[in-house]
Amino acid sequence: MNMIIKPAHRTESVQEYYFSRKLKEIDSLNEALRAKGADAIVNLGIGAPDGMPPMPAIEALIEGSKAPGNHAYQSYVGLPALREAFAKWYERYYGVALNPKNEIQPLVGSKEGILLISLAFIDKGDKVLVPDPGYPTYTSASKLVEAEILTYDLKEENHWWPDFDALEKMDLDGVKIMWTNYPQMPTGARANAELYQRLADFGNRHHILIVNDNPYSFILNPDPQSILAAKGAKDCCLELNSLSKAHNMSGWRIGMLGGSAELVNEVLKVKSQMDSGMFKPLQLAAIAALDQGPEWFKALNAEYERRRVAAGKVFDTIGATYDHDSSGLFLWGKVAKDNPLLAGTDPAKCVGERVSDKILYGAGVFITPGFIFGHNGEDYIRISLCAKPEVLAKSEDKIKGILL
């Protein structure tokens, strides 16, 4: 049927999110498998933590929900106690001082912040620097605000860091925002103080807003870093952070934005048009979660270390090379062009997609192809560590079955 109501032109620039489309395909495959009495597809794709949140956060949510006065609209800027908790968290773990009165903005998950920042700072035709490979939402949010996308390369030989010499040679006229993310998704590469200082210097020198997306900083990362610790960072940097990964609270949608009062206030102008504050019991739960000490992260990472080893065995079976000490919620593996799994696959597709399809349809295991993160990911595949070791071991066995 032809639509008589035409959508906005900006929607033509984006498609349904890859994982949304892929999950529909997997659901369809599972229906056919159930009809045959066969096992369902093992999904090693999306990074949604499967562990429990801190118990004090759950208890705070329950108790807060019982109070009649907690069900009304809330402040656009969040509870003072929540902003104070975020400030203490940043001081304790990142060594960064943020004024809880005006340098912190709670968000409905940090993903919301990507579009809010884009709306706050981008006019039609402005340019945005997006990493390749990188989180696809940086590109889609930029397209929705009708920005011009400029990709900058991240390469394995450069430890997945930006090539600053190449950046300086680009035409940067009209660039308003540069997106960056470490520990990097999808590669698991880490940042350090040197990298963040170079990024802050680059932003100040070219009057570009550097936005660091920092939700993975506690996962398999012995030294959490914040770009806001760099000298001069508050003049040109904003940082997004979240409880989703570090506290097993992805479905709770609790994030934050940190930076100078002036920059944060520009985002608040947009956000205050779009919601009426975060549910108060969720804010109380976030306060309890942010109070967790190092022992919480130690236990969390002990489990992810086991999973990283198990995911590595899957890559060993596939014949993919990978960093055994990467950070974040994923393992990123490179597939050689002569890999046996490529036999009989569609040569019109990139290497990562061919291997992903072969494993999905042959072994019943879904592993994310790296091309969805950019051109530089075409020879790679990605495994989520949000699967238990026994699930990863089962996947290893199923893949071995198609290699016999």
Side-chain angles (χ1 to χ4, degrees):
M1 183 178 70
N2 292 327
M3 288 179 60
I4 61 171
I5 306 300
K6 299 297 183 183
H9 289 302
R10 69 177 63 89
T11 64
E12 297 172 1
S13 68
V14 295
Q15 296 180 342
E16 183 182 3
Y17 194 46
Y18 172 83
F19 283 111
S20 175
R21 290 183 281 113
K22 201 65 180 180
L23 288 174
K24 290 178 183 177
E25 180 183 346
I26 290 173
D27 286 343
S28 178
L29 289 172
N30 280 333
E31 286 183 14
L33 290 169
R34 279 193 294 270
K36 297 177 182 178
D39 290 342
I41 301 295
V42 179
N43 189 343
L44 303 182
I46 297 177
D50 60 334
M52 286 293 289
M55 189 53 63
I58 296 174
E59 293 169 350
L61 177 68
I62 294 170
E63 291 306 311
S65 299
K66 294 177 181 177
N70 286 351
H71 297 270
Y73 291 131
Q74 296 298 312
S75 165
Y76 298 110
V77 297
L79 296 172
L82 175 57
R83 299 195 308 274
E84 183 68 38
F86 274 124
K88 289 180 179 178
W89 189 54
Y90 257 70
E91 181 72 46
R92 181 179 190 180
Y93 290 107
Y94 299 110
V96 170
L98 292 173
N99 187 335
K101 293 182 179 179
N102 53 22
E103 293 187 333
I104 293 172
Q105 174 60 52
L107 300 171
V108 182
S110 59
K111 188 175 183 180
E112 177 198 33
I114 297 172
L115 184 57
L116 291 176
I117 291 168
S118 300
L119 287 166
F121 292 101
I122 297 296
D123 289 316
K124 181 178 180 180
D126 286 341
K127 298 174 184 176
V128 176
L129 286 167
V130 174
D132 178 355
Y135 185 34
T137 300
Y138 306 144
T139 295
S140 58
S142 300
K143 287 180 176 179
L144 285 170
V145 297
E146 300 179 276
E148 179 182 343
I149 310 298
L150 301 179
T151 58
Y152 66 94
D153 289 327
L154 303 180
K155 298 289 187 66
E156 186 170 4
E157 55 266 30
N158 198 33
H159 311 291
W160 304 107
W161 283 17
D163 182 337
F164 286 93
D165 291 336
L167 283 169
E168 294 290 351
K169 293 175 183 176
M170 294 177 69
D171 179 7
L172 299 174
D173 185 45
V175 174
K176 293 287 292 292
I177 289 178
M178 177 180 182
W179 291 98
T180 185
N181 157 233
Y182 291 93
Q184 214 265 339
M185 200 292 292
T187 69
R190 298 185 184 118
N192 61 19
E194 175 196 351
L195 173 58
Y196 282 151
Q197 189 62 61
R198 294 186 73 181
L199 284 165
D201 291 345
F202 178 78
N204 277 315
R205 186 162 56 252
H206 295 286
H207 307 289
I208 295 171
L209 176 64
I210 309 295
V211 186
N212 187 50
D213 192 14
N214 202 18
Y216 300 102
S217 56
F218 288 92
I219 308 300
L220 296 174
N221 186 21
D223 185 23
Q225 300 274 328
S226 167
I227 198 171
L228 298 175
K231 183 179 179 181
K234 285 189 181 179
D235 294 328
C236 68
C237 298
L238 286 171
E239 184 160 273
L240 293 165
N241 218 321
S242 171
L243 274 64
S244 292
K245 315 310 194 229
H247 298 83
N248 293 334
M249 296 171 73
S250 58
W252 298 52
R253 309 313 303 137
I254 301 171
M256 63 154 282
L257 174 68
S260 71
E262 293 78 13
L263 292 174
V264 169
N265 187 61
E266 292 302 318
V267 179
L268 176 60
K269 287 181 185 178
V270 179
K271 180 173 172 58
S272 61
Q273 313 303 322
M274 299 172 64
D275 64 44
S276 297
M278 186 187 299
F279 185 43
K280 186 175 180 180
L282 281 175
Q283 297 187 64
L284 297 173
I287 293 167
L290 289 165
D291 193 43
Q292 297 303 297
E295 67 281 354
W296 165 263
F297 300 109
K298 182 178 180 180
L300 184 76
N301 283 312
E303 174 62 17
Y304 280 126
E305 285 172 2
R306 288 191 287 271
R307 296 181 182 199
R308 183 172 58 188
V309 171
K313 291 180 179 178
V314 176
F315 275 163
D316 291 339
T317 297
I318 293 170
T321 57
Y322 58 98
D323 179 1
H324 292 63
D325 191 39
S326 65
S327 295
L329 278 183
F330 307 97
L331 201 60
W332 180 247
K334 185 173 186 179
V335 181
K337 290 179 171 57
D338 60 353
N339 189 289
L341 283 168
L342 295 173
T345 61
D346 184 355
K349 295 182 177 180
C350 65
V351 168
E353 185 176 13
R354 291 163 65 186
V355 169
S356 176
D357 285 348
K358 182 73 168 281
I359 292 171
L360 173 61
Y361 296 109
V365 177
F366 174 60
I367 294 176
T368 305
F371 81 92
I372 71 169
F373 306 108
H375 173 74
N376 292 328
E378 290 182 352
D379 290 345
Y380 294 82
I381 52 178
R382 191 196 74 173
I383 291 178
S384 170
L385 302 185
C386 298
K388 292 178 172 59
E390 55 267 31
V391 174
L392 291 162
K394 178 182 178 181
S395 301
E396 180 189 355
D397 288 340
K398 288 168 75 72
I399 294 168
K400 285 179 178 177
I402 65 172
L403 292 172
L404 297 177

